Amino acid sequence: MPEDQADKPDTAREQDIQAVSRTAQILGLFAPETPELSVAEATRRLGLKRTTVHRYFSSMISSGLLERVEDSALVRPGRSILQLGSFVLGQQRIIQMAPAYLRELALDIKVSIVLSLWGASGPVVSLVEEAEHPTLVTVRVGSQLALNSSQAKVFLAFLPDQFHADRLTGSLPEPQRTGIRRRIEAIRQAGMSSDVNHRGICVLAAPVFAASGICATIAAVGTERMLPEALDSREATALKAACKRLTKEMGGTWPSSTD
């Protein structure tokens, strides 16, 4: 239906909602059979005014959601959309591939193994493999981990956008902020993290990389008696080796400085 006065939003909130909806509608027009799009085609398929579609195209090009096709009036999905798609596919892929590695580690070092993915503001526990051991230390799937957790610090050490990492740690109070930033630098050098909390729970964590950068962390979790804190322990070495193998299978590259 053509856009008319009755379709125009009255409030700023409604305008924001309509802008998001229209952007999603335009992106939804792209498909394997429609990899490129013109203003005229989008206008026809959406039933909007040509000037409205042209305005949205210009705004989406400026924000990286769309890009112009060379020597034509067509547009295609931009770098921001491609990066998001790559990120989502990478998350789906590692969720499929990681369970075998987690089971192998749990059998080998006899503690719970936890895989986390990066969420809106920190790691979210996505897979857990519990070891067969009389003493069980585990983490719930879906748990949001704090920025001072071992897995969060590994993510912060290797996030491609270090400005984002700095903004997150910048929200912490002193002296916690300075302490975490020192630990992050040490993790970059070592390639993994080791922490023991006040309850005597030890967490060893290491990164997994895909082609686009860090895509997950894997952690071993146990009591101090079950899991040595040292980064040169057999358990830490096994964890790091598993993360390197999974990185290779994900098409990523392990940082040479951490070997």
Side-chain angles (χ1 to χ4, degrees):
M1 179 181 296
E3 182 182 43
D4 56 27
Q5 290 296 323
D7 186 46
K8 291 183 178 179
D10 296 326
T11 67
R13 177 178 173 81
E14 289 173 340
Q15 289 174 350
D16 289 342
I17 292 172
Q18 185 184 76
V20 172
S21 176
R22 293 263 172 83
T23 299
Q25 287 176 331
I26 290 171
L27 292 175
L29 297 178
F30 293 97
E33 64 275 12
T34 313
E36 299 171 350
L37 200 62
S38 67
V39 170
E41 177 66 10
T43 298
R44 183 186 68 79
R45 293 176 62 180
L46 295 177
L48 299 174
K49 290 182 179 179
R50 185 183 181 92
T51 53
T52 299
V53 174
H54 186 274
R55 186 173 71 248
Y56 271 90
F57 271 28
S58 298
S59 178
M60 292 169 73
I61 289 169
S62 298
S63 64
L65 295 175
L66 297 178
E67 65 181 24
R68 297 190 187 279
V69 178
E70 299 82 356
D71 302 320
S72 78
L74 300 174
V75 298
R76 60 193 173 202
R79 181 175 300 176
S80 296
I81 293 297
L82 297 178
Q83 287 176 339
L84 179 60
S86 176
F87 171 73
V88 172
L89 288 174
Q91 285 196 327
Q92 292 175 342
R93 189 171 174 222
I94 195 164
I95 288 295
Q96 293 171 347
M97 296 169 61
Y101 290 85
L102 269 59
R103 284 193 295 271
E104 179 184 325
L105 275 170
L107 287 170
D108 181 21
I109 60 181
K110 305 296 190 295
V111 296
S112 295
I113 307 298
V114 177
L115 180 138
S116 295
L117 302 175
W118 188 257
S121 58
V124 177
V125 175
S126 302
L127 292 173
V128 176
E129 184 69 31
E130 295 177 348
E132 293 185 5
H133 192 282
T135 303
L136 179 64
V137 180
T138 189
V139 186
R140 290 180 181 175
V141 170
S143 298
Q144 172 86 48
L145 302 180
L147 283 181
N148 63 352
S149 67
S150 207
Q151 293 194 67
K153 285 180 281 193
V154 172
F155 266 113
L156 292 170
F158 295 105
L159 280 177
D161 185 356
Q162 281 298 303
F163 288 109
H164 180 54
D166 289 341
R167 285 195 298 272
L168 288 173
T169 56
S171 67
L172 298 171
E174 285 286 8
Q176 187 181 15
R177 176 169 67 245
T178 299
I180 284 183
R181 286 178 173 174
R182 285 202 195 101
R183 289 285 296 121
I184 287 171
E185 185 55 40
I187 290 166
R188 286 197 193 102
Q189 299 301 317
M192 61 187 306
S193 173
S194 174
D195 286 297
V196 178
N197 68 17
H198 65 283
R199 296 179 178 177
I201 303 299
C202 179
V203 180
L204 298 173
V208 178
F209 298 91
S212 58
I214 186 170
C215 61
T217 58
I218 298 179
V221 183
T223 66
E224 287 182 282
R225 291 187 177 184
M226 298 163 61
L227 187 63
E229 181 183 2
L231 292 180
D232 60 354
S233 66
R234 186 190 74 82
E235 291 82 358
T237 301
L239 172 62
K240 193 172 185 180
C243 288
K244 284 185 175 183
R245 297 200 318 273
L246 185 50
T247 289
K248 185 176 181 180
E249 195 168 352
M250 287 291 296
T253 302
W254 187 273
S256 56
S257 61
T258 65
D259 288 325

